Amino acid sequence: MAPYASDDSTTAGEVDEQRSGRRKAARYVVPVTVIGVAAATIGLVPALADSGDPDLPKITAQQLIEKIAKSDVQQLSGTVKISTDLGLPNLGGLESGLLSGAAGQGEGGSSADPTAKLTELASGTHTLRVAADGPDRQKLSLLENAAEYSIIHNGKDVWGYDSKSNEVYHGTSSKSPERGKDQQPPATPKDFAEEALKAVDDTTSVAVEGTAQVAGRDAYKLVVKPKQSGSTVGAISVAVDAKTGMPLKFTLTPASGGAAVVDVGFTKVDFAKPAASTFDFTPPKGAKVTEEKDAGKGAEKAPGAPFGKGGARDHAPKAGEDFGKGLDGMKTIGEGWNAIATFDTGGEGVPSGGDLGFMDSLGDKVHGDFGSGTVFSTRLVNALVTDDGKVYAGLVTKDALVKAADAGK
């Protein structure tokens, strides 16, 4: 990555320190999935709800990024509200069906497997209860209509419980104390902020733009914007707790305007030590319990698994580099916010008949020097599938995809 582009000068040594701090803190990834010929992503956006801007000491963008990187909140409990509006088509449940298909049904078909719940946060509005007591104890509960889904990491045990189906998933984290937490979906502002800051490079503008109050806490507002034109990302705003440096709210606004793509923020937060009983779990009587198979093996390849050390994130391709085997060598075109992933499916473009023929009606037909194809759009991700089976996808406009396809002709 290139150095930060901000209002402040940053030395190479300082950049290395910032990156090291972010790598140490990062545990999650914001998943971006191309589903067949449609693209979907978990973005994030709301407007920061200011209830009287607090008067805080001045701080530079560089100092605030360092404050986030050094933040080491070990104990907390609170409530998080997350709303997403990706703009996927809603044809008789198609959106939820695509997202469910992307996540898979979990190992052994258990609805309590954490990987089976990941993409539910990519659509609609959800309320979460979160709690943490150091690296060995975390709990996340997704509150649903007359039901609740919880992931509990307590020592070497990782439990997933779906009260609706009365199913339990049990795994272990004996090989890595962090593994239990890694099985939780990205859900808090900190999770998303860490991923967003990884994308900051010299194609990015970073600035501190005022203050806010979030969940009763004084916070600074860090605003990240692409410098380049052509990206679908308008701006990312992170409310950073003035005392602890922990992100309290994360917002991503699309360049097209309108409602936020996703809104992730604490509505309540307490940094006191949660009661030990918070992390206790015993499978309810009569619950179906699924045991994890070969705990730890293939974790990087599991649907929704984080791109941790040695995983896909650490081996993401630079511009022009070959992604490796599979999908005829995925490559990245361009840089920064305008980067486009491209690969050859070896197929014949969008299905025009049979059970998948309906997908042709979900996109826009486009033409160029490359020939013709179909563009499938969300409010954040666009994907072009050419008639000869090539795919171009990214956080860029339709015109940018066509231009990339023409260049690759």
Side-chain angles (χ1 to χ4, degrees):
M1 281 289 183
Y4 296 116
S6 71
D7 298 339
D8 321 297
S9 60
T10 307
T11 68
E14 290 169 335
V15 170
D16 288 340
E17 281 188 16
Q18 294 163 13
R19 287 176 178 163
S20 176
R22 290 201 309 278
R23 283 196 297 268
K24 180 180 178 181
R27 297 187 180 98
Y28 302 95
V29 69
V30 180
V32 179
T33 306
V34 177
I35 308 168
V37 291
T41 187
I42 294 180
L44 343 156
V45 184
L48 289 169
D50 297 344
S51 55
D53 296 343
D55 185 14
L56 296 173
K58 297 294 183 182
I59 190 170
T60 66
Q62 176 186 321
Q63 289 170 334
L64 191 52
I65 289 173
E66 291 172 347
K67 191 175 184 72
I68 295 172
K70 293 176 181 178
S71 178
D72 190 28
V73 173
Q74 295 289 315
Q75 300 170 334
L76 67 82
S77 58
T79 303
V80 174
K81 183 178 180 181
I82 174 171
S83 298
T84 61
D85 181 8
L86 296 172
L88 292 174
N90 185 13
L91 302 178
L94 174 62
E95 176 176 351
S96 60
L98 287 173
L99 293 172
S100 176
Q105 295 303 312
E107 186 174 333
S110 173
S111 67
D113 186 339
T115 63
K117 285 289 181 178
L118 179 63
T119 58
E120 289 191 16
L121 301 182
S123 177
T125 297
H126 304 275
T127 299
L128 310 172
R129 283 202 300 258
V130 298
D133 182 13
D136 293 330
R137 294 179 180 84
Q138 300 91 30
K139 181 176 181 179
L140 181 152
S141 295
L142 171 60
L143 308 183
E144 302 170 314
N145 292 332
E148 180 174 321
Y149 174 77
S150 295
I151 305 173
I152 305 101
H153 171 213
N154 192 347
K156 67 179 182 179
D157 292 308
V158 178
W159 298 95
Y161 176 58
D162 186 353
S163 68
K164 185 176 182 179
S165 63
N166 198 28
E167 291 191 28
V168 174
Y169 179 88
H170 179 233
T172 61
S173 59
S174 57
K175 291 187 177 181
S176 169
E178 295 298 313
R179 190 170 183 275
K181 196 168 189 296
D182 281 346
Q183 290 199 12
Q184 297 180 11
T188 69
K190 180 184 178 185
D191 303 338
F192 291 113
E194 287 172 346
E195 290 304 316
L197 290 178
K198 290 177 184 178
V200 172
D201 59 16
D202 58 3
T203 68
T204 310
S205 168
V206 185
V208 178
E209 297 187 3
T211 62
Q213 264 210 347
V214 178
R217 306 278 302 186
D218 292 348
Y220 292 100
K221 292 193 292 188
L222 183 71
V223 178
V224 178
K225 297 179 181 179
K227 287 183 178 180
Q228 305 160 303
S229 61
S231 174
T232 55
V233 177
I236 292 173
S237 182
V238 183
V240 183
D241 186 68
K243 185 174 181 180
T244 67
M246 191 182 84
L248 299 173
K249 194 160 189 177
F250 180 98
T251 73
L252 183 157
T253 305
S256 58
V261 175
V262 181
D263 180 352
V264 183
F266 280 97
T267 57
K268 295 180 181 178
V269 66
D270 186 344
F271 295 112
K273 179 184 177 71
S277 60
T278 302
F279 310 101
D280 293 339
F281 181 79
T282 301
K285 184 177 181 180
K288 175 186 175 183
V289 179
T290 299
E291 292 289 339
E292 180 184 30
K293 299 176 182 178
D294 298 323
K297 293 182 180 180
E300 292 83 7
K301 296 181 180 180
F307 293 177
K309 185 176 180 180
R313 180 82 194 190
D314 285 354
H315 301 292
K318 303 288 190 300
E321 287 184 347
D322 189 5
F323 187 84
K325 295 181 179 180
L327 295 179
D328 199 22
M330 183 180 288
K331 295 183 179 180
T332 301
I333 301 172
E335 62 179 354
W337 302 90
N338 286 9
I340 296 172
T342 179
F343 59 90
D344 194 331
T345 66
E348 297 181 356
V350 179
S352 58
D355 293 339
L356 296 178
F358 73 93
M359 299 196 75
D360 187 52
S361 65
L362 301 181
D364 298 323
K365 204 69 177 178
V366 294
H367 304 273
D369 294 341
F370 68 90
S372 60
T374 306
V375 173
F376 298 88
S377 301
T378 71
R379 300 180 65 220
L380 205 60
V381 175
N382 288 318
L384 165 63
V385 182
T386 67
D387 289 347
D388 60 359
K390 294 183 176 63
V391 176
Y392 298 84
L395 304 175
V396 297
T397 62
K398 298 178 185 179
D399 290 343
L401 294 178
V402 171
K403 185 176 180 180
D406 284 344
K409 177 177 176 292

